[in-house]
Amino acid sequence: MALFDLPKLKEEIAQIEKKQEDPAFWDDHREAASLSNRLGDLKNTVKSMESINSDFNDLSELLKEATPEDIELCELIETLEKDLDKKIHELRTILLFSGEYDELNATIEIHPGAGGTEAMDWAEMLLRMYNRWAESHRFKWEVLYYEPGEEAGCKSATVKVSGTRAYGMLKSEKGVHRLVRISPFDANARRHTSFASVSIVPEFKEVDSIVIDQKDLKVDTYRSGGAGGQNVNKVSSAVRITHLPTGIVVSCEIERSQLFNKETCMRMLREKLMARQIEEREAHLKSIIGEQKNIEWGSQIRSYVFCPYTLVKDNRTDYETSDVEGTMEGNLDPFMFAYLEMEAKKNGH
């Protein structure tokens, strides 16, 4: 159902309000809370759409009456246009961030592909790029795990990004990122192509439903050697947990407490298992209706070319820019919104 279908939106509002009148509505607190949140979102959307329609009609009438000589009316029209633009931007945000998990925090995992130091340096560059992006949005940035490379870059990094719609924005980044440049590690100054994978997982609010058998876990403890490791590496406080049935590996080294790091690992594992369940369910549904996944793990989603020309291009949306430096400094919103708009069109919004 498209969000622009006002009659259907109002009909859904009426249905939820009718359910709330039932004394048994709150027997299932989780379902009731979910419906109440949905009701609030629907009312905000309808209110925003009706306000835009009203302002647009008022502005249209004023434009018919306006003349260049009527300075006060022209100034009023200019003010109304700015207000209308602001409301349209707010509605656009509602439309683009309508996913079930878009409002949640997110975890970023970055791993270099084959290529040794060159690929590990690229992974480090991506980590810095996302850090700059998070700073520009005033999101909280917390490094959960960091394993440095032998010469440069990093072998693996896990970061939690906290802020409104962090996952909604970052979900566009999942996939393989490709770099083409003159390698600073090549004495012959040859051009190299490097790859790094980026995984984005939402911080699910409800992960208690994921039951994990302790027999399925391999737990390793070791001394921290990453960022902040000099403060905690006197004892084996860092924790790595491997979920044997799926091969999922999670690591945490942010605290001196081994217990705390293990608890953080377990939550991360539950989130990954929940994300896996959701992806498998969606893939199954799409296979039933004859659709194929837009992006699969291991596919190249974006290329960053530093030489012989400068270009960053997203292979899914075809959005591109020659401002490689700006992109690497965290100017990712154009890529993210292009992806969100593509997804919204596919979903009929």
Side-chain angles (χ1 to χ4, degrees):
M1 180 184 67
L3 287 178
F4 284 112
D5 195 336
L6 263 176
K8 287 189 176 181
L9 289 179
K10 291 181 177 180
E11 181 181 347
E12 186 176 352
I13 289 173
Q15 290 173 351
I16 296 176
E17 289 179 335
K18 186 175 181 179
K19 288 182 179 180
Q20 288 181 326
E21 295 174 0
D22 187 339
F25 177 76
W26 288 101
D27 288 352
D28 185 339
H29 287 278
R30 184 177 298 179
E31 177 66 15
S34 177
L35 284 174
S36 296
N37 289 336
R38 173 63 177 166
L39 179 62
D41 291 341
L42 287 169
K43 286 184 174 180
N44 287 336
T45 302
V46 169
K47 182 179 179 181
S48 178
M49 293 168 67
E50 290 179 338
S51 178
I52 288 173
N53 286 337
S54 176
D55 288 356
F56 179 80
N57 291 332
D58 291 343
L59 189 58
S60 298
E61 292 299 320
L62 290 175
L63 286 170
K64 293 177 183 178
E65 303 173 5
T67 61
E69 293 77 20
D70 194 337
I71 298 176
E72 289 186 2
L73 184 56
C74 289
E75 290 178 346
L76 175 60
I77 289 173
E78 184 177 355
T79 300
L80 291 176
E81 285 179 339
K82 290 180 180 179
D83 290 342
L84 184 59
D85 285 342
K86 183 179 179 181
K87 290 181 179 180
I88 291 174
H89 175 74
E90 291 172 350
L91 178 59
R92 178 171 175 257
T93 299
I94 293 174
L95 294 173
L96 295 182
F97 295 97
S98 57
E100 186 177 356
Y101 309 109
D102 284 354
E103 298 294 321
L104 302 180
N105 300 329
T107 299
I108 305 175
E109 282 192 11
I110 301 177
H111 299 281
T117 300
E118 179 71 23
M120 286 186 277
D121 189 54
W122 174 226
E124 181 78 33
M125 291 167 66
L126 287 173
L127 183 65
R128 179 184 179 278
M129 179 182 74
Y130 291 122
N131 180 231
R132 293 290 188 273
W133 174 83
E135 287 178 347
S136 70
H137 287 272
R138 298 183 179 179
F139 287 161
K140 182 181 178 182
W141 177 271
E142 184 179 14
V143 178
L144 301 179
Y145 177 76
Y146 181 89
E147 183 178 359
E150 288 85 358
E151 297 180 33
C154 72
K155 291 183 179 179
S156 177
T158 304
V159 179
K160 179 180 174 182
V161 181
S162 304
T164 303
R165 302 190 184 97
Y167 177 72
M169 295 287 283
L170 285 167
K171 67 182 181 182
S172 65
E173 301 303 295
K174 179 180 178 181
V176 173
H177 297 245
R178 171 177 173 261
L179 169 68
V180 180
R181 67 168 177 175
I182 300 297
S183 173
F185 307 102
D186 189 330
N188 297 316
R190 290 173 296 188
R191 190 170 63 186
H192 284 245
T193 299
S194 304
F195 297 89
S197 65
V198 176
S199 175
I200 310 293
V201 179
E203 185 187 37
F204 297 106
K205 294 179 180 178
E206 299 293 340
V207 293
D208 295 338
S209 60
I210 302 296
V211 179
I212 300 176
D213 191 334
Q214 295 299 313
K215 296 178 183 178
D216 292 336
L217 301 180
K218 177 187 176 185
V219 182
D220 298 309
T221 58
Y222 55 97
R223 294 183 181 181
S224 174
Q230 66 275 14
N231 297 320
V232 294
N233 61 11
K234 294 181 180 180
V235 294
S236 298
S237 60
V239 177
R240 178 185 295 113
I241 296 179
T242 304
H243 187 247
L244 299 175
T246 61
I248 293 175
V249 179
V250 290
S251 305
C252 184
E253 59 176 21
I254 60 174
E255 293 288 341
R256 292 174 181 266
S257 168
Q258 184 183 116
L259 179 61
F260 181 89
N261 286 334
K262 184 177 180 180
E263 289 176 350
T264 302
C265 277
M266 289 301 294
R267 178 173 181 84
M268 291 165 61
L269 177 57
R270 286 190 175 92
E271 288 171 352
K272 282 197 167 189
L273 288 172
M274 181 172 282
R276 187 187 183 98
Q277 286 184 6
I278 292 169
E279 288 177 356
E280 288 176 350
R281 184 181 68 217
E282 290 178 349
H284 177 64
L285 290 173
K286 288 179 180 179
S287 68
I288 291 174
I289 61 177
E291 295 182 2
Q292 294 183 353
K293 294 179 70 174
N294 183 42
I295 304 167
E296 295 181 354
W297 178 254
S299 65
Q300 179 182 309
I301 66 163
R302 192 177 301 149
S303 293
Y304 306 71
V305 182
F306 288 28
C307 180
Y309 52 87
T310 57
L311 179 70
V312 183
K313 182 175 180 177
D314 195 290
N315 296 345
R316 303 158 299 177
T317 64
D318 288 331
Y319 180 85
E320 61 182 51
T321 178
S322 60
D323 185 14
V324 172
E325 182 177 350
T327 301
M328 298 310 300
E329 286 297 321
N331 184 21
L332 297 172
D333 283 10
F335 290 96
M336 294 175 171
F337 277 101
Y339 175 83
L340 291 170
E341 287 172 355
M342 178 190 73
E343 290 296 300
K345 290 177 182 177
K346 285 170 55 178
N347 294 328
H349 293 167

